[in-house]
Amino acid sequence: MIDTRPDLTIRLCGPRGFCAGVDRAIQIVVLALKAYGAPVYVRHEIVHNRYVVEGLEAKGAIFVEELDEIPEEHRQQPVVFSAHGVPKSVPADAEARSLFYLDATCPLVSKVHKQAMRHQRLGRHVVLIGHAGHPEVIGTMGQLPEGSVSLVETVEDADRYVPPDPDNLGFVTQTTLSVDDTAGVIKRLHERFPNLTAPAADSICYATTNRQEAVKQAAPGCDLFLIVGAPNSSNSKRLVEVALRAGATKSVLVQRAAEIDWETIGDIRTVGLSAGASAPEVIVNEIIEAFRARYNAVVELADTVEENEHFLVNRELRAIELTPADMAFVNGE
């Protein structure tokens, strides 16, 4: 039988998908369920991915917006704080309620918290480059007294910004920003405020940088570039922008294969594929199979660097065995 499916090359980016901080956060919830039994409460989405959240709910996790939603009879059960970090008021509230909490804040986000606190300790007003309303930004601003942090989102914001003391400023950034966009904002701030102090180390995390670089390398010549990720995932949305800027004809954010609009996809020969840092590999595989069902698809690896970072889970959970079966719901079999 003759295969009439059109030929297609899928450029599969690497690295892609889960970063060490996201992997650790999901492991914390899974291990807490094994150690303490259901339910385990999680304040806000553990990571920005609905598939992951639903998978953890199926295992016995209950997601709440605030700690007062945890019923009295479950006060001895653990509550996990999300990978994005929380303001200092949240653990203080947990302690006031005698709750047992496990903090799943990504260590690289915690590093930004420490950078911001160091600026403030040295008498600098903190400029935070990030997106208003993002949980990570709320968490970082919540490490310091009210009024000691100013949020700047764009170059235009940097042009308008009026600091309390132009000669005493220090900046940090949200970890999941566009590397290129952020460089433009920092450049403008430095032009206006020459004494602006940078953090001791880059705030944008290695995983964000690596995923953007892989997409940048793979995008030229792509008729379509798919990014697997959630609409509220900052790093995933940045990957869509990076793909377009780097030369992809079209770039789209999708959560599942079912969201791909096959009717309007047009005549495509080369598709780029990557995934945001909170998107599980099982969905990447699902999308590849969806293309293989419709095209004579060949997967071409577009790898840039190898990631081998690993972050330890909370001390309370390190004795609990984590098996491949425990994580199969996100990693696949």
Side-chain angles (χ1 to χ4, degrees):
M1 184 177 170
I2 299 170
D3 188 351
T4 57
R5 295 174 301 168
D7 290 339
L8 181 73
T9 298
I10 300 173
R11 287 185 192 161
L12 181 60
C13 287
R16 64 182 176 275
F18 283 176
C19 61
V22 164
D23 210 25
R24 172 182 179 268
I26 297 166
Q27 288 177 17
I28 287 169
V29 180
V30 170
L31 289 170
L33 284 161
K34 290 184 81 169
Y36 304 105
V40 165
Y41 287 85
V42 185
R43 183 185 176 275
H44 293 180
E45 288 187 336
I46 187 69
V47 296
H48 281 156
N49 190 276
R50 195 66 226 159
Y51 181 94
V52 172
V53 167
E54 288 172 0
L56 291 170
E57 283 176 333
K59 288 177 174 288
I62 297 176
F63 289 81
V64 295
E65 285 305 300
E66 298 301 340
L67 301 181
D68 60 9
E69 296 173 48
I70 299 173
E72 193 69 43
E73 64 270 21
H74 289 161
R75 288 292 164 94
Q76 300 310 306
Q77 290 297 106
V79 56
V80 180
F81 301 152
S82 86
H84 305 105
V86 294
K88 281 186 174 177
S89 58
V90 173
D93 184 27
E95 286 164 14
R97 296 173 185 276
S98 300
L99 294 173
F100 166 46
Y101 66 85
L102 295 164
D103 191 351
T105 300
C106 172
L108 298 179
V109 173
S110 296
K111 183 183 80 172
V112 174
H113 292 176
K114 288 170 187 160
Q115 291 170 343
M117 290 188 282
R118 182 173 187 275
H119 280 318
Q120 199 236 355
R121 191 170 66 249
L122 294 172
R124 300 172 192 137
H125 184 81
V126 178
V127 178
L128 170 59
I129 302 166
H131 297 298
H134 190 278
E136 185 186 325
V137 165
I138 293 168
T140 300
M141 294 184 80
Q143 302 305 305
L144 300 175
E146 198 168 341
S148 57
V149 186
S150 298
L151 182 65
V152 170
E153 294 196 54
T154 62
V155 172
E156 292 71 30
D157 288 346
D159 278 329
R160 289 189 295 264
Y161 177 54
V162 180
D165 179 357
D167 291 323
N168 231 354
L169 297 172
F171 78 86
V172 294
T173 78
Q174 184 180 330
T175 62
T176 54
L177 299 179
S178 157
V179 174
D180 294 339
D181 285 349
T182 308
V185 176
I186 293 169
K187 180 173 180 284
R188 187 68 190 110
L189 286 168
H190 270 303
E191 288 168 354
R192 293 196 60 213
F193 312 111
N195 292 329
L196 176 71
T197 304
D202 195 358
S203 298
I204 296 178
C205 86
Y206 76 90
T208 299
T209 303
N210 290 348
R211 278 149 193 70
Q212 288 179 21
E213 192 56 38
V215 167
K216 204 180 286 186
Q217 297 292 325
C222 283
D223 305 302
L224 172 66
F225 213 113
L226 292 179
I227 304 296
V228 183
N232 59 340
S233 166
S234 174
N235 78 88
S236 300
K237 291 195 290 187
R238 301 294 81 76
L239 290 176
V240 173
E241 296 164 4
V242 168
L244 287 171
R245 282 184 194 165
T249 304
K250 183 179 180 183
S251 184
V252 180
L253 184 70
V254 293
Q255 297 188 82
R256 301 292 302 270
E259 291 185 10
I260 299 170
D261 189 349
W262 302 102
E263 298 299 316
T264 61
I265 212 165
D267 181 23
I268 55 172
R269 305 289 170 85
T270 305
V271 171
L273 179 58
S274 188
S278 47
E281 186 68 6
V282 290
I283 300 180
V284 173
N285 294 335
E286 172 188 283
I287 287 171
I288 291 171
E289 291 310 311
F291 274 102
R292 281 179 168 152
R294 296 164 174 83
Y295 295 85
N296 179 30
V298 175
V299 175
E300 182 182 277
L301 297 180
D303 292 339
T304 51
V305 298
E306 186 179 337
E307 291 180 349
N308 49 25
E309 285 79 5
H310 175 72
F311 298 143
L312 288 174
V313 298
N314 310 65
R315 189 169 279 103
E316 298 93 330
L317 302 173
R318 289 177 196 167
I320 310 299
E321 184 190 9
L322 185 75
T323 68
D326 293 327
M327 298 294 285
F329 75 107
V330 286
N331 293 337
E333 298 298 337

